[in-house]
Amino acid sequence: MDRRHFMGQSAAVLGLLAGLSTQARANLPKAEILVIGGGYGGATAAKYLRLFSNNTARVTLIEPNTAFVSCPMSNLVIGGSRSLAEMTSPYDTLSKRHGIKIIQDSVSNIDAEKKMVKLASGKTLRYDKLVVSPGISLNMNSIEGLAQANKDGVTLQAWKAGPETVALHKQIAAMREGGTFALTIPEAPYRCPPGPYERACQVANYLKQHNPRGKVLVLDANQDIVSKGALFKKAWAEQYPGMIEYRPKSNVIGVDAKNKTLKLEVEDDVKADVLNVLPQMAAGEIAIKAGLANSNARWVNVNFLNFESTARKDIHVLGDAIQIAPLMPKSGHMANQHAKVAAAAIVAELSGWEVNPAPVLTNTCYSFVNDREVVHVASVHQYNAAEKTFKTVPGSGGLSPAPSILEGIYAWGWARNIWADSLG
Ligand SMILES: Cc1cc2nc3c(=O)[nH]c(=O)nc-3n(C[C@H](O)[C@H](O)[C@H](O)COP(=O)(O)OP(=O)(O)OC[C@H]3O[C@@H](n4cnc5c(N)ncnc54)[C@H](O)[C@@H]3O)c2cc1C
């Protein structure tokens, strides 16, 4: 083909595409896109909907909190080496720099038939596309006595970073000399597979310096450490000898708040001074209330090409709330990646373009074994069209050989980058 012929054909194809997309693209600025939740999934989706649409999409973010507080790094607050302020970011850059309308409220109901959401303040909003990223809900009723114990502040979860994170650190700092901190882990899947084991390190690191006869007891309902097992076990043995006791297959079924005692399914009761009880988790309440949680009434099944709920059309669900693909962690990094795939797909759908048929996601997760040394796990997840799910790419990713200060520097780099990517 000569150059003139090629140019002519290309121009014709481009003209056709331009004609098609101009017509379809007209739908994009007219569409109302609402995003529920300004966490790792929702904030990223709101920002990338604007970026991918060349700032033409109308995007409204609904979030009750005045600022974003990161769960990643928050275990360091519990360990006393960092403050919550260091992991808090304002939302106003999303409005000032990216033109996203922010409503400080929470969604109390979704009417998928009428395509409306109702806010706690009583207002209703219409949508053409709805993005739902409400994170997790904690099933306090999965453990007898826990709901009341948590209400009374006898047990804390600190699994949504905020005031409880600070309160838990205070309880640890006030623990009697030689006392025991007990952390209980529910059966997977739960938010952040390595998070509880990192927390055990942070508490032990604090006790080593301030209460060296203190103990950390980890009661894990799982068969073994869920993530980075060998690395955590080695760090516990080398850095906190005799301080961390790990008991797998220990399912906590009850809390006796008065006697600070945990009831286990099989073994004898356990008494401790500070109780950090993590119950079973499920998709955020609004997802369950809206009838989106069609995987065992707990998690939301989605079409992995655009993250649209399989239960409701035009509702795209991201982050911890979804039923994950095999080996896909419930992590902030993943929620950020889901958001970009969903945002690109929504812009494509509203513009009449083809949705990317082969998305790829990456994940990196850093864990601090003390206040400076870190280990990581990484993975790459490729969409598999035949099985309609994401599969890890063989040979991708991997684990740290050992904890290091250099990885501690990388971990802070990761955190600052993802906060800037999601909120900046
Ligand atoms: C201790 C700890 C350590 C962690 N460490 C890491 C780590 O190192 N790396 C990593 O990648 N991940 C880590 N994670 C996991 C990470 O925090 C989650 O996977 C991530 O926050 C999930 O993002 P999300 O958007 O699904 O939910 P979230 O980030 O929790 O955001 C949900 C948002 O929705 C809002 N919301 C809820 N309901 C409503 C409603 N009805 N209306 C309006 N808004 C609503 C909430 O206020 C919240 O802001 C950690 C978690 C914990 C607890």
Side-chain angles (χ1 to χ4, degrees):
M1 188 188 295
D2 64 28
R3 189 168 174 270
R4 188 183 298 165
H5 190 188
F6 171 78
M7 295 292 277
Q9 276 206 345
S10 305
V13 171
L14 283 174
L16 193 68
L17 283 176
L20 201 163
S21 57
T22 315
Q23 201 183 24
R25 210 186 288 146
N27 293 329
L28 184 63
K30 281 196 230 140
E32 282 296 344
I33 309 177
L34 301 185
V35 180
I36 302 178
Y40 277 94
T44 311
K47 178 173 156 181
Y48 276 82
L49 279 160
R50 292 283 295 164
L51 293 180
F52 289 156
S53 68
N54 206 12
N55 297 325
T56 58
R58 259 197 287 189
V59 181
T60 302
L61 174 66
I62 306 152
E63 164 62 49
N65 296 319
T66 49
F68 165 91
V69 184
S70 175
C71 285
M73 314 313 260
S74 70
N75 277 329
L76 297 174
V77 178
I78 288 164
S81 63
R82 294 286 182 160
S83 74
L84 213 55
E86 290 174 88
M87 45 209 76
T88 300
S89 311
Y91 280 118
D92 57 0
T93 310
L94 289 178
S95 48
K96 285 185 193 146
R97 188 176 293 163
H98 300 289
I100 294 160
K101 184 174 171 192
I102 299 182
I103 298 180
Q104 198 194 330
D105 208 331
S106 66
V107 172
S108 57
N109 218 343
I110 300 170
D111 185 337
E113 299 297 317
K114 293 192 182 133
K115 292 191 150 186
M116 305 281 282
V117 303
K118 188 164 187 199
L119 306 183
S121 61
K123 267 195 208 148
T124 53
L125 301 170
R126 193 191 65 76
Y127 68 81
D128 296 293
K129 285 280 192 185
L130 181 64
V131 176
V132 181
S133 191
I136 49 155
S137 57
L138 296 157
N139 184 358
M140 293 294 177
N141 296 324
S142 62
I143 296 177
E144 198 195 327
L146 181 62
Q148 193 59 44
N150 217 75
K151 221 183 232 168
D152 297 342
V154 181
T155 61
L156 294 172
Q157 41 84 19
W159 216 240
K160 295 183 182 184
E164 280 207 16
T165 311
V166 177
L168 184 58
H169 172 68
K170 285 188 182 153
Q171 285 191 354
I172 294 161
M175 190 169 82
R176 73 177 169 88
E177 215 193 305
T180 298
F181 166 87
L183 168 66
T184 84
I185 306 172
E187 224 178 306
Y190 57 82
R191 160 175 283 184
C192 193
Y197 313 105
E198 178 190 57
R199 180 166 291 183
C201 295
Q202 289 309 307
V203 178
N205 188 50
Y206 177 85
L207 295 178
K208 197 172 158 181
Q209 294 162 53
H210 302 277
N211 187 350
R213 289 197 305 115
K215 293 263 178 301
V216 175
L217 174 62
V218 183
L219 297 167
D220 192 343
N222 296 288
Q223 299 284 319
D224 203 348
I225 294 183
V226 175
S227 175
K228 306 177 200 167
L231 286 166
F232 279 120
K233 280 183 188 163
K234 193 160 183 284
W236 292 350
E238 286 175 3
Q239 303 199 21
Y240 312 108
M243 193 172 238
I244 300 179
E245 185 187 346
Y246 177 68
R247 293 195 204 165
K249 295 180 248 171
S250 296
N251 190 25
V252 173
I253 54 166
V255 176
D256 174 353
K258 204 167 135 224
N259 298 305
K260 291 236 177 136
T261 300
L262 300 170
K263 291 183 189 162
L264 288 126
E265 194 175 23
V266 178
E267 303 94 327
D268 290 343
D269 294 357
V270 168
K271 204 169 155 53
D273 299 273
V274 176
L275 304 176
N276 184 193
V277 181
L278 302 179
Q280 276 184 2
M281 298 174 200
E285 273 144 36
I286 188 64
I288 294 175
K289 196 171 169 192
L292 299 168
N294 55 355
S295 176
N296 219 0
R298 259 178 101 184
W299 308 108
V300 179
N301 283 313
V302 294
N303 169 357
F304 283 114
L305 282 178
N306 61 0
F307 285 82
E308 187 175 42
S309 142
T310 58
R312 303 279 189 221
K313 207 175 151 0
D314 293 323
I315 300 184
H316 300 253
V317 187
L318 317 172
D320 288 355
I322 70 162
Q323 173 61 61
I324 43 175
L327 302 175
M328 176 187 275
K330 288 187 183 292
S331 72
H333 197 132
M334 265 294 147
N336 168 282
Q337 298 274 295
H338 296 167
K340 290 173 188 172
V341 172
I346 290 169
V347 169
E349 284 167 15
L350 291 171
S351 303
W353 302 333
E354 190 201 0
V355 170
N356 177 10
V360 180
L361 311 173
T362 60
N363 187 69
T364 316
C365 189
Y366 293 97
S367 300
F368 281 78
V369 299
N370 54 43
D371 52 354
R372 298 204 305 154
E373 288 183 304
V374 163
V375 290
H376 83 269
V377 60
S379 49
V380 180
H381 307 252
Q382 165 92 61
Y383 183 73
N384 180 303
E387 296 182 43
K388 295 193 165 98
T389 189
F390 281 96
K391 290 271 181 95
T392 49
V393 175
S396 69
L399 280 165
S400 307
S404 73
I405 290 174
L406 185 61
E407 285 216 34
I409 295 165
Y410 294 160
W412 276 104
W414 170 86
R416 291 185 182 116
N417 274 323
I418 202 164
W419 298 335
D421 186 43
S422 306
L423 298 136

